[in-house]
Amino acid sequence: MSDRSLLVVVLAAGEGTRMKSRLPKVLHKVAGRTMLHHVLAATRAAGATRTAVVVGPGREDVAAEATRIVPDAQVFVQTERLGTAHAVLAARAALEQGADDVLVLYADTPLVRPETLARLRAPLAEGAAVAALGFEPEDPTGYGRLVTSGDELVAIREEKDATAAEKAVRFCNAGLMALAGKDALSILDRIGNANSKGEYYLTDAVEIARVDGRSAVAAKADVDEVAGVNSRIQLAEAEAILQKRLRLSAMAEGVTLIAPETVFFSADTVLGRDVIVEPHVVFGPGVIVGDDVVIHAFCHLEGAQLAPGVSIGPYARLRPGTRLDEGVRIGNFVETKAAHIESGAKVNHLSYVGDAHVGAGANLGAGTITCNYDGFFKYRTEIGAGAFIGVNSALVAPVTIGAGAYVGTGAVITSDVPEDALAIARSRQVVKEGWAKDFRAARADAKKKG
């Protein structure tokens, strides 16, 4: 269907009161991504050519997230909450621009797959005016029913309005709908509000299309895919479903998970082949792992890139900006941040390496700390190739340790160390009264001045 244009209208105006949160419901995260992000990513993969997002009044945060993900998305505000059809018509300007197909989705259904959206859309290319997505829950109580006759969708009936025979139907309405672009506005504009709530229901599109002599059909999705998230409990359930998907996908692509149920991924985690992940590892957003990497137990990674053959942990924390080249070894209780560590270098125990560059083959002994922050500004540490940093050394940035240099055990290094030199820095304790107070005042003044 790549030759057919597709407008996606994502409804993201729900208040989500059951979440009991100051954060809008659709900005709560599943596998490291907002629910809105998941839905928009699925629509892009399904071939969306234009995107409209309907938000509530004053929800600039939701609008900002939408345009961060899809920069050319059109954002519309639903000023009143008068039903689902009314919400779709908030995007009238986008609908008037025309499209072969229109998909209507909800931003709180983060588990829907692109292939399901493609299947929902497919009947439009064959002449259908409306296609609705359905599912078969174990207990259909409370859901609207999809009433069918053969291959035709006759109506979507709310349970309170359904007959006994219709209530026996197990095929339920998931809420997602596809509309033929040329018919969409005509159908939507004729949806009335003659119901107990006085609202304009998108589900009425089915019967209006049939009155016009147009076809309406239903597509089927798995129950998990169309689960809406309205509470913290349902958020946790969605997380569990998506984590299971991500674990199965990783293993299918050649990753060994020793205890899969204890490993947590972000939606964008990238893992190479023959990666081994031990129990209790968490991947935050932005992690890329090369082939043959071993991640030992109880590690946490975020915004990090690991080249082939790297080994980390146990109990390592890689923070954003970490880049580990081939064969690097990061050991237990080591934290890195904004650090590029070149091939074959080792940071094996109890160290912090932040805002740093470590050359190939360098060795940082246990307890090595790059002192990168003075309370006001960050500074960089440069460690040359083959350098050896002794145990319990503090490298006070900005500082450069030359290639092949040695830093003695327990040293506090405040000046550059030349290549192949030995630096030893030990002295008796010195106390300067009032120094810290004067230092903070001077730094605060410098920060104010920019």
Side-chain angles (χ1 to χ4, degrees):
M1 290 185 290
S2 58
D3 58 332
R4 294 177 63 85
S5 59
L6 172 62
L7 168 65
V8 174
V9 180
V10 179
L11 305 184
E15 293 182 346
T17 54
R18 280 190 281 165
M19 297 295 285
K20 300 187 184 302
S21 174
R22 290 183 298 274
L23 188 69
K25 176 173 66 170
V26 301
L27 297 189
H28 282 266
K29 291 183 178 181
V30 179
R33 279 183 177 172
T34 64
M35 290 194 281
L36 177 59
H37 190 162
H38 280 288
V39 172
L40 291 175
T43 64
R44 283 188 296 174
T49 50
R50 286 192 298 115
T51 301
V53 180
V54 179
V55 304
R59 288 272 62 118
E60 289 80 9
D61 46 3
V62 178
E65 173 71 349
T67 53
R68 184 186 69 84
I69 300 158
V70 182
D72 62 351
Q74 296 174 273
V75 177
F76 301 91
V77 178
Q78 183 187 12
T79 55
E80 297 180 273
R81 302 179 190 281
L82 300 178
T84 48
H86 178 262
V88 177
L89 282 172
R92 178 182 292 275
L95 292 162
E96 288 175 343
Q97 292 173 39
D100 292 319
D101 304 334
V102 175
L103 274 180
V104 178
L105 291 84
Y106 297 86
D108 62 357
T109 54
L111 302 178
V112 66
R113 300 176 190 266
E115 51 267 36
T116 299
L117 298 180
R119 194 165 63 252
L120 174 62
R121 178 189 175 196
L124 304 182
E126 300 171 0
V130 176
L133 192 63
F135 67 110
E136 292 187 2
E138 287 187 12
D139 180 5
T141 303
Y143 293 107
R145 307 301 205 275
L146 299 186
V147 181
T148 59
S149 176
D151 294 332
E152 283 288 308
L153 176 61
V154 176
I156 302 176
R157 195 81 70 215
E158 294 301 319
E159 187 175 62
K160 64 181 182 299
D161 300 322
T163 65
E166 290 169 341
K167 287 179 180 178
V169 172
R170 300 188 60 83
F171 196 23
C172 296
N173 180 34
L176 286 69
M177 184 174 286
L179 300 163
K182 63 185 180 64
D183 300 312
L185 269 175
S186 172
I187 291 173
L188 291 166
D189 279 334
R190 283 182 287 158
I191 291 176
N193 66 342
N195 52 64
S196 59
K197 289 189 176 181
E199 293 186 353
Y200 300 86
Y201 294 133
L202 184 61
T203 51
D204 290 347
V206 172
E207 291 180 87
I208 291 173
R210 289 179 58 80
V211 167
D212 288 347
R214 302 296 308 279
S215 173
V217 298
K220 187 177 179 181
D222 291 337
V223 173
D224 288 347
E225 278 193 78
V226 295
V229 174
N230 295 297
S231 68
R232 307 281 184 153
I233 295 169
Q234 291 174 340
L235 187 70
E237 291 169 348
E239 182 76 45
I241 293 166
L242 189 51
Q243 288 299 332
K244 183 176 180 179
R245 282 188 198 174
L246 294 170
R247 293 164 188 151
L248 292 173
S249 176
M251 291 186 287
E253 292 299 318
V255 175
T256 295
L257 303 180
I258 303 299
E261 68 281 2
T262 70
V263 177
F264 287 82
F265 293 106
S266 283
D268 63 351
T269 303
V270 177
L271 301 176
R273 290 192 174 181
D274 293 313
V275 170
I276 298 175
V277 183
E278 292 185 356
H280 302 289
V281 173
V282 176
F283 294 88
V287 176
I288 301 174
V289 178
D291 296 343
D292 303 303
V293 168
V294 177
I295 302 173
H296 294 286
F298 294 99
C299 289
H300 189 287
L301 302 83
E302 181 177 356
Q305 297 183 36
L306 284 61
V310 164
S311 174
I312 71 164
Y315 294 98
R317 183 185 182 195
L318 307 187
R319 290 169 58 194
T322 294
R323 178 180 160 196
L324 307 181
D325 289 353
E326 194 164 352
V328 165
R329 296 290 183 267
I330 300 292
N332 50 291
F333 302 105
V334 172
E335 180 178 352
T336 63
K337 189 271 294 185
H340 178 195
I341 302 178
E342 293 189 346
S343 300
K346 298 176 183 178
V347 189
N348 275 328
H349 333 272
L350 302 159
S351 296
Y352 172 69
V353 182
D355 296 289
H357 176 265
V358 179
N363 187 92
L364 279 61
T368 296
I369 303 296
T370 59
C371 306
N372 60 329
Y373 183 49
D374 64 4
F376 295 88
F377 303 105
K378 297 287 181 71
Y379 303 94
R380 287 193 64 79
T381 297
E382 296 285 339
I383 300 173
F388 184 93
I389 312 299
V391 169
N392 283 339
S393 295
L395 310 179
V396 184
V399 70
T400 297
I401 311 299
Y406 267 61
V407 171
T409 297
V412 178
I413 302 300
T414 58
S415 300
D416 292 351
V417 179
E419 292 184 7
D420 298 316
L422 170 64
I424 300 174
R426 304 185 189 117
S427 63
R428 292 181 180 179
Q429 179 174 313
V430 176
V431 177
K432 296 183 179 182
E433 296 286 346
W435 182 92
K437 180 180 179 182
D438 294 340
F439 172 77
R440 286 192 293 270
R443 288 297 178 180
D445 186 57
K447 195 167 187 179
K448 286 180 182 178
K449 293 177 179 178

